Amino acid sequence: MSVTLVDVDATWVNPSSVSYNASELRLADASLFAQAGIVRNGSNALGVSVDGSDVVTVQPGSWVIPGNAVAGSGIWRGGIASSVTGSLEARDATYGRIDLVVARQLDTDVVASHAAYTGRVEIIKGTPSATPGVPALPSMAVELGRITVPAAGGAAASMDSSHRTYATGVGAEIVVPSASVLPTTGIPTGQRAYALDTGMEYRWDGSMWDDGTYKVYTPTLTNITKGGATVTGRWRQRGKTVDVTITFTAGSTTSASGTMQFSLPVAARSDAVANGVAVSQQSPFLAGVAFLGSTTVVQVQGTTSAGSWNGSQLPPSGKVLVISFRYEAA
């Protein structure tokens, strides 16, 4: 036996008793998108430019407007089929300003003060100032660009398109002009992103955007008396694969007793193995292997004519031992 909590008007059903309202359809549309913004149906979709006469042109394109004025509003879709133009308001005699070009949705049912039911492309005039700021983005709007407008008689107005956001389908890669505008809230773990300015790819790890570059950590030493040595670890993780490089520079009183061990940046699987090598700059040249001593440490061992690689077989003071390996995280 089941208990019905609520019936809803799902889209694309046949019975004539179903009656859709705007809110239901907007919520249904929202199920298709992970993020609102400009629809990238061309490299210059809704591109904005400004000429030497302060005339602004917005290229054709489509948008997805977020329902961020009232929770549960869903989204609005719209667009312009051909380019539109308009002039900036007159320049201030003394100070410059920053104007914001936006696509927005007005819907009186959601925000009574809108007093309209229409999508709109508009220029929001900034406040002239010695240090002008960017006008606030209205709710139910997406930024198309921001224009720096110098004082009267000054240089030509200039366009900044680096703060645009793009609509993203559920499960699709987020595309941004630069990493500086990557979203930081409401992101599902594993979400992928791509920055247009650098070509860098990112993955949301649950707390931050990981671009695959190496992070720094300081390994904890076991069976080693540091004695002025320096040790630096660098690591990166993609999925469950962890790559690590540890650089150990011996000091004048550095010593070891037993197999040298260095802590891992993240725990390994209990059945994981490390694939790696250890190489010393000392003469004679020494090479060895790196292997997991447990789920939390890597061990270093090698073979020379003098026997096991520890104790007296440490690199001399100032010489470097480099340990590089890969393993599977827990």
Side-chain angles (χ1 to χ4, degrees):
M1 181 176 180
S2 64
V3 177
T4 300
L5 299 182
V6 65
D7 286 329
V8 299
D9 292 327
T11 55
W12 308 114
V13 292
N14 286 320
S16 58
S17 60
V18 175
S19 177
Y20 301 110
N21 60 45
S23 178
E24 288 176 316
L25 294 175
R26 291 197 307 270
L27 285 170
D29 279 354
S31 68
L32 304 176
F33 294 91
Q35 176 174 284
I38 299 164
V39 177
R40 296 190 70 237
N41 49 15
S43 58
N44 198 33
L46 296 175
V48 182
S49 60
V50 58
D51 67 15
S53 299
D54 287 355
V55 175
V56 176
T57 300
V58 180
Q59 298 299 323
S62 304
W63 58 72
V64 176
I65 301 294
N68 54 6
V70 176
S73 297
I75 61 168
W76 290 259
R77 293 178 292 151
I80 51 176
S82 58
S83 61
V84 295
T85 61
S87 296
L88 296 173
E89 293 196 36
R91 300 189 183 198
D92 184 77
T94 306
Y95 296 117
R97 68 176 194 267
I98 298 175
D99 289 357
L100 199 62
V101 185
V102 304
R104 63 184 302 199
Q105 180 66 43
L106 303 178
D107 191 330
T108 304
D109 290 342
V110 179
V111 180
S113 61
H114 282 175
Y117 299 92
T118 186
R120 179 174 294 170
V121 177
E122 66 181 15
I123 303 170
I124 301 174
K125 180 183 176 182
T127 302
S129 170
T131 55
V134 181
L137 182 69
S139 62
M140 296 165 57
V142 295
E143 177 177 337
L144 305 183
R146 52 187 68 175
I147 304 173
T148 297
V149 185
S158 60
M159 171 60 54
D160 178 5
S161 298
S162 64
H163 299 270
R164 291 155 61 95
T165 57
Y166 298 100
T168 304
V170 172
E173 185 176 63
I174 294 174
V175 178
V176 291
S178 68
S180 63
V181 294
L182 280 168
T184 56
T185 58
I187 311 301
T189 300
Q191 176 67 55
R192 301 277 178 173
Y194 178 82
L196 291 171
D197 60 341
T198 61
M200 292 287 290
E201 293 186 335
Y202 300 82
R203 183 183 64 85
W204 183 256
D205 67 6
S207 61
M208 62 175 287
W209 287 105
D210 179 13
D211 62 2
T213 57
Y214 281 86
K215 306 176 185 68
V216 176
Y217 83 110
T218 301
T220 299
L221 310 180
T222 302
N223 297 331
I224 302 171
T225 299
K226 194 170 182 181
T230 59
V231 57
T232 301
R234 297 174 62 251
W235 68 286
R236 68 179 180 183
Q237 180 174 351
R238 282 299 179 92
K240 290 291 187 179
T241 302
V242 183
D243 293 297
V244 184
T245 298
I246 298 172
T247 303
F248 180 86
T249 305
S252 59
T253 57
T254 300
S255 63
S257 57
T259 302
M260 294 182 292
Q261 297 182 0
F262 302 82
S263 64
L264 301 175
V266 296
R269 277 177 54 107
S270 59
D271 58 350
V273 295
N275 298 306
V277 296
V279 178
S280 169
Q281 291 181 347
Q282 81 177 84
S283 180
F285 175 84
L286 294 176
V289 295
F291 60 95
L292 296 183
S294 70
T295 59
T296 59
V297 299
V298 64
Q299 296 185 354
V300 175
Q301 204 166 56
T303 301
T304 71
S305 59
S308 297
W309 191 7
N310 58 45
S312 63
Q313 297 302 312
L314 277 171
S317 178
K319 296 298 183 178
V320 180
L321 172 66
V322 178
I323 310 153
S324 184
F325 57 99
R326 168 178 286 181
Y327 66 94
E328 183 181 0

